[in-house]
């Protein structure tokens, strides 16, 4: 379509798809990238941008060039995790390091635009992404924080193959603890370890302890009065 209907952007722009997945930690961004790649039958190359960015001038570009060369060769889906590391609001130039940081994001932008494959980027902070960059994205997918009903589905999903006591109800945990999918999964793992250690099925109290532990990890207050 882009070719026949003369809709391709031209100017060195590739025919790839550039998408940003934005949402809080544990809302399923990385998992969704895995699903996209698996659905297309392609490998997923995960690039940790924070580890590509090098303090030495010119090294970041070399690292990126290696990644793109490899991706072009193998036809993989590219996932740039923590895009903020490079696409955080391009700072005003205060010192020579800022100037080079801006050069790096300009370089990555140009390279991404020319890329013919699928490139996915993730961020926890949508507002932190530079406007010039957002304009070049084909798609921005928001990963909202799950509401109570969705959290209940996530609890049930995580518990699907875990031996639980009869009549166990993750409903109160889903209602009272505002946890994203990743934390719900961790809470269930904590509960499962506790139960496995006793040699018994998981109880409601195990789930509660797991949920509390996730709250404490996130530095959130655990209220004792919640309706238990
Ligand atoms: N919507 C969902 N459906 C099913 N499972 C989910 C969902 N969201 C999160 N999970 C579970 O949470 C785990 C963590 O999610 P994932 O690593 O994709 O989060 P993320 O958005 O990439 O977080 P981060 O920003 O910290 O990298 C997944 O492996 C999966 O088990
Ligand atoms: Mg992730």
């Amino acid at each position: 379509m882009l070719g026949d209907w003369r809709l391709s952007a031209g100017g060195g722009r590739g025919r790839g798809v550039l998408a940003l997945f934005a949402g809080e930690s544990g809302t399923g961004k990385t998992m969704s990238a895995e699903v996209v790649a698996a659905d297309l039958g392609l490998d997923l190359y995960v690039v940790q941008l924070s580890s590509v960015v090098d303090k030495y001038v010119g090294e970041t570009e070399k690292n990126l060039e290696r990644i793109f060369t490899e991706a072009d060769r193998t036809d993989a889906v590219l996932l740039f995790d923590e895009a903020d590391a490079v696409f955080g609001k391009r700072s005003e130039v205060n010192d020579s390091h800022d100037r080079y940081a801006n050069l790096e994001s300009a370089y990555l932008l140009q390279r991404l635009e020319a890329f013919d494959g699928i490139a996915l980027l993730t961020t926890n902070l949508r507002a932190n992404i530079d406007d010039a960059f957002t304009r070049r994205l084909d798609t921005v997918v928001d990963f909202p924080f799950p509401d109570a009903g969705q959290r209940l589905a996530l609890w049930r999903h995580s518990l699907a193959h875990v031996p639980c006591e009869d009549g166990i109800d993750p409903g109160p945990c889903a209602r009272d603890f505002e946890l994203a999918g990743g934390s719900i999964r961790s809470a269930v793992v904590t509960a499962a370890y506790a139960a496995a250690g006793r040699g018994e099925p998981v109880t409601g109290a195990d789930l509660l302890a797991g949920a509390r532990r996730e709250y404490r990890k996130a530095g959130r207050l655990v209220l004792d009065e919640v309706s238990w």
Side-chain angles (χ1 to χ4, degrees), residues 45-52 64 67 78-82:
Y45 273 30
V46 184
V47 183
Q48 218 68 48
L49 273 178
S50 50
S51 70
V52 173
L64 286 169
I67 290 161
L78 273 182
L79 172 64
F80 291 91
D81 246 342
E82 301 166 30

Side-chain angles (χ1 to χ4, degrees), residues 87-118:
F87 291 115
K89 291 246 186 253
R90 281 182 272 187
S91 49
E92 284 170 38
V93 178
N94 289 322
D95 61 22
S96 65
H97 182 265
D98 291 346
R99 194 155 53 240
Y100 289 117
N102 287 351
L103 281 178
E104 285 163 359
S105 59
Y107 174 84
L108 180 54
L109 252 187
Q110 179 202 330
R111 202 62 186 76
L112 278 171
E113 283 196 298
F115 186 54
D116 270 330
I118 296 172

